[in-house]
């Protein structure tokens, strides 16, 4: 056996684990072991080599072009999963919390008070487009309602854009529209009264249509001077009230999709080189505006000016340097296209120039100097407007797109010498049919804000503000009204465009009030220990079974050479079969398995019997005696190792019924006779194994959603019949306990503050857990909520307990056992048909900040599940009979499982010590990858057991009986009595036992006399 973690850290400390060594003092490393170890960590080694390459790369120094290339290597070296865990903390004092909108999306009033047409007014009336932004959210007539919503959120800043054609209807100063100027001055006055600072965008995609018709829009270099004059007017007209300016929003979309693909206005397409010329003009127009402000307005107004740049994120598809370079190049083609000239050396990125050649205009000489450094902060947009919508495969260069704001922030900081970064647009979207319940938007907001916090606290990035997008629902560009992005729901069918806060608004408001995610008492790790008699266990779905003894099975005859000490087999000679019965010691696999279990340090081991193999014909009068004997031996050897066996009679799996063949072919659990057969099988097991087994599970995880109500009804009867049989016929002499184990993943309301989601969560738990729990531990009938819900659906599928069966089932328990692995969220608002359950009317989802592998890792879900049991069945003893996580079997340093076991047990301690849950035991799942692939504390390499890091850490927790307070006196627990198989004879038959002991002592004495007499004679010669 190879021990990957022989030294466990003290409680709460996850120190690096030592190099692997084989268990056993005389073991030698096998020749192929190094190669096997290398094979299991090949990906990690490649990434380490890449990281070393990047560290040695001279061009990767901070502030130089290409410095962002080190981002991927850095994040691959961060500790997993600790780095992925949710970070509780707050943002720096003065952090800017903002919300934003864009004029064309929300203002409406497209032809009111002298406003001229924009390219979007024209664009939405052409082609196959069905909707326009003519009205949008009608913010033009609802400025007071918008500011009221802004005040309710509690933001410090509001980002909005000026409608260029509302101020200059034909695009130039000569067409000045005073009504438009008054509108924006009025909005600024309202914001000032509300003590909200404006962040004003000069151009958010709504170019005056006259400029597009007359000049060809941004394709014309004359637009530089036109935009400079427009900016100069706005700085003069509004600058006394504005300290944060954005010149142009997302020039990538304007250039590539406005003048390349034609997806957005003005919809120009056909010339593949035009987007690069447009981008060139946009850069120079921004620089011209910045210089005007810097020269004429900054001294008096003291504001800051930048250009809002948007980007996706990409991960390498392969662990190669080439893939990393392609990722870097992808970002340079989108974000670096504009950020490089502004924040770098004033030129386009090297990758763009190399791949585009003459297609990319040159930035040289005075032009380059005039562009470079014309940004006072880095205004970054991130989210649905660009990622996963407007980035096509040609710009991913074969790499994988991802939504990772934290890595993007780090890349920006590394690539452009740590500028102040203001996230000026971030968020997600929901379907257009979604009303005020927008869970997806809320959890993406949580994810992005949490990543910004990590970026500041863990990566040292200077993030100064965050803008949730958007304030209200509106016209979503090329998606029209098919999606919604607002924190406030707008009813487009009402005359006043009624606004209502969504749950995402409530969430964002709470985050702002707390300035992040401060750590609450329930978030802190608990300190303390479990009782001395706490059952520490490990579970396995099954054990390795030998059909015949493996010891003394070789019939060959050997000659022993006393000089060399070698055995030589004699060909042609076969020894007669031994004339003796098989002994437990003959089964090598039993000793091996028990040794592995004992090495974990547990007091209990949970495994399942195989009903179909023990009673293959269904007749308990003709059991498989060999298998029964093997189970008996296994249980006995566990006891001798001071490990209590916990035995399941029937383990439910979806793949196999595990019923004897006659029952399997006769309607399985739908057969009313099956419970009786199960009770007979249970009696057989109680009779033959009950001397060694004192803790029984009748049915393991029968509450599967694939099980029908009729099948479940018969399963309940089967359990009850088995429990009654034990209680009546075996408990008086064996003194054991019997119950069943239910699968109980936690179900949390997506909005814990919403009754509309609390009820669906209760309903799911009724149908999943209460379905089996209530008849046994409660009323003797199915949950009232379950029955009433099905009655509303006019369903008659749920069986009715007659009085006899009710009395049979009710109270058939000695403890409450659960298997718990993960947690999910539910809401009543339908968003995704693939994860929606129509019968229960619930939408299943996850929090995007949770660690995934592949199911969510949510430690606090176990505590809530245990409290659910306590609240429904207050005085029952509770066991966590299985708790584990799936991880790559090749990862022997299984850091995710280390994290999982530590934190889930800590939550169990909270349930016990803080909540008063009568928790009696915890069983980690599973013992070995060999029987339960991906879940094991042991791995396997060529039939050799490998001790994983998680085993050492679990053993450490067991040794300390929890998480003792540092410096506190050690817990004193009486030593468990070692099993004494011979002592039973002394208790039951004292005379026979006494004579046996006397006889044994006499034989030993005679043997010693003979031995020493023979030795003296030999010495005499």
């Amino acid at each position: 056996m190879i021990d990957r973690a022989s030294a466990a850290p003290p409680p709460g400390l996850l120190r690096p684990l030592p190099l692997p060594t084989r268990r056993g003092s005389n073991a030698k490393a096998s020749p192929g072991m190094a190669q096997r170890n290398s094979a299991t960590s090949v990906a990690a080694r490649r990434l380490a080599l890449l990281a070393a390459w990047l560290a040695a790369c001279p061009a990767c120094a901070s502030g130089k072009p290409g410095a962002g290339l080190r981002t991927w290597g850095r994040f691959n070296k961060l500790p997993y999963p600790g780095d992925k865990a949710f970070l509780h903390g707050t943002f720096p004092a003065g952090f800017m919390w903002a919300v934003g909108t864009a004029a064309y999306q929300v203002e409406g009033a497209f032809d009111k008070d002298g406003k001229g047409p924009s390219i979007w007014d024209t664009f939405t009336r052409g082609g196959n487009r069905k909707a326009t932004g003519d009205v949008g959210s009608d913010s033009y007539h609802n400025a007071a309602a918008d500011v009221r919503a802004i005040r309710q959120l509690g933001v410090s800043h509001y980002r909005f854009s000026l409608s260029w054609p509302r101020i200059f209807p034909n695009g130039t100063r000569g067409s000045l529209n005073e009504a438009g100027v008054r509108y924006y001055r009025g909005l600024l006055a309202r914001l000032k009264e509300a003590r909200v600072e404006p962040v004003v965008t000069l151009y958010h995609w709504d170019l005056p249509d006259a400029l597009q018709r007359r000049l060809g829009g941004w394709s014309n270099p004359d637009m530089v001077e036109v935009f400079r004059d427009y900016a100069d007017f706005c700085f003069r007209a509004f600058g006394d009230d504005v300290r944060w300016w954005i010149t142009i929003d997302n020039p990538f979309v304007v250039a590539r999709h406005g003048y390349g693909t034609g997806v957005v206005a003005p919809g120009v397409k056909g010339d593949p080189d035009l987007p690069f010329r447009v981008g060139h003009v946009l850069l120079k127009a921004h620089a011209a505006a910045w210089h005007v402000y810097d020269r004429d307005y900054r001294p008096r107004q003291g504001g800051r000016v930048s250009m809002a740049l948007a980007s996706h994120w990409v991960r390498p598809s392969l662990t190669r340097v080439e893939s990393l370079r392609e990722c870097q190049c992808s970002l340079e083609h989108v974000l670096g296209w504009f950020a490089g000239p502004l924040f770098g050396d004033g030129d386009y990125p090297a990758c763009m120039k190399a791949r585009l050649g003459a297609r990319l205009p040159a930035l040289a000489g005075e032009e380059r100097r005039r562009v470079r450094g014309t940004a006072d902060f880095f205004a970054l947009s991130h989210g649905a407007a660009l990622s996963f919508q407007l980035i096509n495969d040609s710009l991913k260069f074969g790499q994988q797109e991802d939504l990772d704001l934290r890595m993007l922030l780090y890349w920006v900081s590394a690539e452009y010498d740590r500028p102040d970064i203001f996230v000026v647009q971030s968020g997600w979207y929901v379907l257009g049919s979604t009303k005020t319940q927008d869970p997806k938007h809320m959890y993406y907001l949580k994810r992005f804000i949490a990543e910004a916090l990590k970026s500041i606290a863990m990566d040292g990035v200077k993030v100064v503000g965050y803008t949730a997008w958007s304030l209200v629902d509106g016209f979503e560009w090329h998606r029209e009204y098919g999606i919604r992005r607002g924190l406030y729901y707008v009813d487009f069918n009402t005359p006043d465009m009624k606004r209502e806060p969504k749950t995402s608004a409530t969430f964002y408001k709470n985050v702002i009030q707390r300035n992040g995610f401060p750590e609450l008492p329930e978030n802190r790790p608990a300190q303390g220990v479990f009782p001395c008699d706490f059952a520490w266990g490990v579970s396995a779905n099954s054990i390795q079974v030998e059909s015949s003894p493996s010891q003394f099975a070789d019939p060959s005859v050997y000659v022993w050479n006393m000089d060399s000490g070698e055995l030589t087999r004699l060909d042609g000679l076969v020894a007669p079969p031994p004339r003796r019965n098989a002994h437990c010691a003959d089964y090598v696999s039993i000793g091996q398995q028990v040794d592995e279990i004992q090495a974990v340090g547990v007091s209990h081991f949970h495994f399942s019997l195989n009903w179909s193999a023990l009673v293959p014909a269904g007749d308990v009068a003709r059991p498989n005696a060999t298998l029964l004997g093997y189970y008996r031996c296994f249980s006995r050897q566990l006891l001798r190792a001071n490990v209590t066996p916990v035995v399941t009679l029937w383990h439910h799996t979806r793949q196999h019924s595990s019923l004897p063949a006659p029952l399997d072919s006769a309607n399985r659990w739908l057969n009313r006779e099956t419970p009786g057969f199960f009770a007979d099988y249970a009696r057989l097991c109680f009779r033959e194994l009950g001397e060694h087994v004192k803790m029984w599970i009748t049915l393991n995880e029968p509450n599967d959603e694939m099980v029908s109500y009729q099948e479940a009804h018969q399963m309940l009867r089967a359990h009850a019949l088995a429990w009654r049989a034990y209680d009546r016929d075996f408990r008086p002499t064996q003194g054991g306990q019997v119950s069943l184990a239910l699968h109980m993943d936690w179900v949390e309301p997506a909005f814990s503050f919403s009754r509309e989601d609390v009820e669906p969560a209760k309903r799911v738990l009724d149908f999943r857990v209460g379905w089996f729990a209530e008849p046994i531990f409660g009323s003797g009938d199915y949950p009232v909520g379950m029955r009433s819900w099905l009655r509303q659906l006019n369903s008659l599928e749920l069986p009715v307990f007659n009085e006899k069966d009710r009395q049979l089932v009710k109270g058939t328990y000695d403890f409450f056992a659960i298997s718990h692995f993960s947690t999910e969220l539910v809401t009543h608002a339908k968003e995704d048909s693939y994860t929606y359950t129509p019968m229960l009317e619930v939408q299943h989802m996850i929090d995007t900040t949770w660690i995934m592998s592949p199911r969510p890792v949510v430690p606090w879900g176990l505590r809530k599940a245990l409290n659910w049991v306590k609240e429904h069945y207050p005085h029952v003893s509770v066991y966590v009979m299985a708790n584990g996580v799936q991880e790559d079997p090749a990862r022997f340093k299984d850091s995710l499982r280390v994290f999982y076991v530590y934190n889930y047990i800590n939550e169990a301690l909270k349930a016990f010590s803080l909540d008063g849950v009568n928790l009696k035991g915890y069983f980690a799942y599973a013992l070995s990858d060999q029987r339960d692939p991906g879940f094991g504390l042991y791995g396997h390499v060529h039939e050799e057991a490998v001790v994983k890091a998680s085993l050492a850490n679990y053993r450490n927790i067991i040794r300390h009986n929890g998480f003792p307070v540092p410096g506190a006196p050690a817990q004193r627990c009486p030593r468990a009595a070692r099993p004494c198989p011979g002592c039973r004879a002394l208790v039951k038959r004292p005379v026979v036992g006494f004579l046996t002991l006397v006889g044994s002592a006499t034989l030993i004495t005679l043997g010693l006399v003979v031995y020493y007499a023979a030795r003296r004679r030999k010495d005499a010669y």
Side-chain angles (χ1 to χ4, degrees), residues 248 250-251 307-311 335 338-339 342-343 378-382:
I248 298 168
N250 204 339
M307 176 189 254
L309 307 179
S311 186
L335 183 58
F338 301 94
L342 296 179
F343 295 91
F378 200 110
L380 180 67
S381 294
H382 176 262

Side-chain angles (χ1 to χ4, degrees), residues 680-756:
D680 292 340
Y681 159 63
R683 288 189 190 92
L684 170 70
C685 297
F686 297 152
R687 183 174 63 251
E688 297 295 331
L689 305 177
E691 180 183 356
H692 310 295
V693 179
K694 305 304 178 187
M695 194 169 184
W696 294 93
I697 301 293
T698 55
L699 311 173
N700 193 73
E701 301 183 14
N703 55 325
D704 188 306
E705 61 183 9
M706 301 302 291
V707 172
S708 70
Y709 297 138
Q710 290 75 19
E711 289 175 310
H713 201 72
Q714 299 308 320
M715 289 179 183
L716 284 166
R717 293 183 63 243
H719 157 78
L721 289 170
W723 190 93
R724 298 288 179 192
Y726 189 87
D727 191 57
R728 181 180 62 250
D729 302 333
F730 299 95
R731 194 190 302 273
T733 56
Q734 296 179 2
Q737 293 183 307
V738 183
S739 196
L740 82 171
L742 300 178
H743 185 99
M744 190 182 182
D745 282 350
W746 182 243
V747 180
E748 179 76 0
F751 311 110
S752 57
F753 44 81
S754 166
R755 179 180 176 84
E756 291 177 308

Side-chain angles (χ1 to χ4, degrees), residues 605-906:
F605 177 62
H606 174 215
F607 66 98
S608 301
L609 305 180
N610 189 330
W611 181 8
S612 61
L614 267 175
V615 192
D619 183 2
V620 295
R622 294 182 294 147
N624 183 332
T626 301
L627 182 57
L628 197 56
Y630 186 91
Y631 284 135
R632 189 184 299 113
C633 286
F634 188 84
S635 301
R636 184 185 301 163
Q637 292 301 109
L638 282 174
L639 285 174
R640 286 181 175 173
N642 218 24
V643 176
T644 300
V646 181
V647 177
T648 287
L649 296 175
W650 181 73
H651 183 93
H652 170 71
T653 62
R654 292 185 178 182
Q655 293 78 17
H656 309 287
S657 73
S658 298
L659 300 180
L663 295 177
D664 189 58
S665 60
N667 285 331
R668 300 180 177 180
W669 285 106
L670 291 174
N671 186 340
R672 285 190 59 84
E673 303 299 320
T674 300
F677 282 100
F678 180 77
D680 292 340
Y681 159 63
R683 288 189 190 92
L684 170 70
C685 297
F686 297 152
R687 183 174 63 251
E688 297 295 331
L689 305 177
E691 180 183 356
H692 310 295
V693 179
K694 305 304 178 187
M695 194 169 184
W696 294 93
I697 301 293
T698 55
L699 311 173
N700 193 73
E701 301 183 14
N703 55 325
D704 188 306
E705 61 183 9
M706 301 302 291
V707 172
S708 70
Y709 297 138
Q710 290 75 19
E711 289 175 310
H713 201 72
Q714 299 308 320
M715 289 179 183
L716 284 166
R717 293 183 63 243
H719 157 78
L721 289 170
W723 190 93
R724 298 288 179 192
Y726 189 87
D727 191 57
R728 181 180 62 250
D729 302 333
F730 299 95
R731 194 190 302 273
T733 56
Q734 296 179 2
Q737 293 183 307
V738 183
S739 196
L740 82 171
L742 300 178
H743 185 99
M744 190 182 182
D745 282 350
W746 182 243
V747 180
E748 179 76 0
F751 311 110
S752 57
F753 44 81
S754 166
R755 179 180 176 84
E756 291 177 308
D757 280 355
V758 170
E759 289 303 319
K762 288 181 178 178
R763 184 158 62 246
V764 173
L765 287 168
D766 271 348
F767 274 79
R768 288 185 180 175
V769 185
W771 178 23
F772 274 78
E774 187 61 19
I776 296 171
F777 298 90
S779 63
D781 196 2
Y782 297 112
V784 172
M786 183 180 184
R787 199 175 283 286
S788 62
W789 182 262
L790 290 172
R791 193 177 297 122
Q792 289 179 32
L793 300 177
N794 296 318
S795 171
L796 301 176
E797 293 181 6
L798 193 64
V800 176
F801 282 101
N802 58 40
E803 189 57 30
K804 180 181 178 181
D805 282 347
R806 182 193 295 264
Q807 294 304 319
L808 171 69
V809 172
K810 184 178 179 181
T812 54
Y813 67 90
D814 295 311
F815 53 89
F816 198 113
I818 65 170
S819 299
H820 175 89
F821 299 93
S822 186
T823 292
E824 67 172 342
L825 302 172
V826 295
T827 176
H828 76 285
K830 183 178 180 180
E831 178 69 26
D832 183 352
S833 58
Y834 289 103
T835 53
Y836 185 77
T837 304
M839 194 272 283
L840 295 179
E841 295 182 7
V842 292
Q843 177 73 62
H844 304 271
M845 59 180 299
I846 62 167
D847 182 336
T848 55
T849 64
W850 288 344
I851 298 169
M852 299 293 294
S853 181
R855 289 185 289 183
V857 175
V858 191
W860 52 259
L862 176 58
R863 182 180 180 185
K864 293 205 171 191
L866 292 170
N867 272 279
W868 185 95
V869 176
K870 176 197 168 190
E871 290 164 9
H872 286 75
Y873 314 108
H875 305 296
V876 67
S877 301
V878 187
Y879 289 85
V880 178
M881 199 56 67
N883 177 239
V885 67
Q886 187 173 5
E887 191 169 6
D888 183 357
R891 291 176 62 94
F892 297 139
K893 191 174 179 180
D894 52 343
S895 53
L896 176 61
R897 188 169 293 106
V898 169
F899 176 89
Y900 183 99
V901 170
Y902 179 94
N903 285 281
Y904 273 80
I905 294 176
N906 198 265

Side-chain angles (χ1 to χ4, degrees), residues 129-151:
R129 286 166 285 279
K130 300 177 181 178
T132 71
D134 290 359
V135 179
S137 316
D138 201 20
S139 288
Y140 187 79
H141 298 110
N142 284 282
D146 285 351
V147 174
R148 187 163 53 248
I150 293 167
R151 297 182 73 162

Side-chain angles (χ1 to χ4, degrees), residues 552-566:
F552 312 109
D554 185 358
S556 301
V557 177
Y558 295 84
V559 173
W560 180 29
N561 187 323
M562 296 181 64
D563 294 330
S564 66
E566 295 181 351

Side-chain angles (χ1 to χ4, degrees), residues 5 7-10 13-15 17 894 898 901-902 948-958:
L13 179 63
L14 303 181
R15 68 161 71 103
L17 294 164
D894 52 343
V898 169
V901 170
Y902 179 94
K948 296 185 184 179
S950 57
L951 189 152
N953 283 272
Y954 184 40
R955 184 170 56 205
N956 184 53
I957 293 171
I958 295 171

Side-chain angles (χ1 to χ4, degrees), residues 130-290:
K130 300 177 181 178
T132 71
D134 290 359
V135 179
S137 316
D138 201 20
S139 288
Y140 187 79
H141 298 110
N142 284 282
D146 285 351
V147 174
R148 187 163 53 248
I150 293 167
R151 297 182 73 162
Q152 287 174 355
L153 288 175
V155 295
S156 59
H157 291 67
Y158 173 52
R159 181 189 172 196
F160 66 95
S161 72
L162 305 175
S163 172
W164 189 346
R166 193 177 297 282
I167 296 172
F168 294 168
N170 74 359
T172 59
R173 192 186 292 255
S175 63
L176 173 66
N177 177 27
E178 290 292 349
V181 175
R182 283 196 301 274
Y183 168 72
Y184 291 115
R185 282 179 174 157
L187 177 57
L188 288 169
R190 291 178 187 273
L191 291 173
K192 190 172 185 177
E193 183 182 358
R195 297 185 179 181
V196 174
E197 194 166 348
V199 179
V200 177
T201 302
L202 295 175
Y203 177 70
H204 201 129
W205 305 2
D206 53 347
L207 186 71
D209 190 58
L211 294 178
Q212 180 64 35
R213 293 178 181 276
R214 188 169 70 248
L215 300 177
W218 291 107
S219 64
N220 192 326
D222 292 346
M223 282 294 298
V224 174
E225 181 58 29
V226 173
F227 183 73
R228 188 205 64 78
D229 188 58
Y230 164 60
D232 178 69
F233 175 84
C234 294
F235 295 149
R236 184 184 302 276
F238 311 118
D240 289 342
D241 297 313
V242 179
R243 296 294 177 270
W244 296 88
W245 290 96
I246 304 292
T247 56
I248 298 168
D249 181 85
N250 204 339
F252 169 84
V253 169
V254 175
R256 182 173 180 84
H257 296 294
Y259 293 84
T261 65
V263 171
V264 301
V268 177
K269 53 188 174 181
D271 182 352
D273 296 341
L274 181 59
F276 305 113
R277 297 197 298 274
V278 167
H280 198 71
V281 172
L282 289 167
L283 262 176
K284 293 198 294 181
H286 156 79
W290 185 91

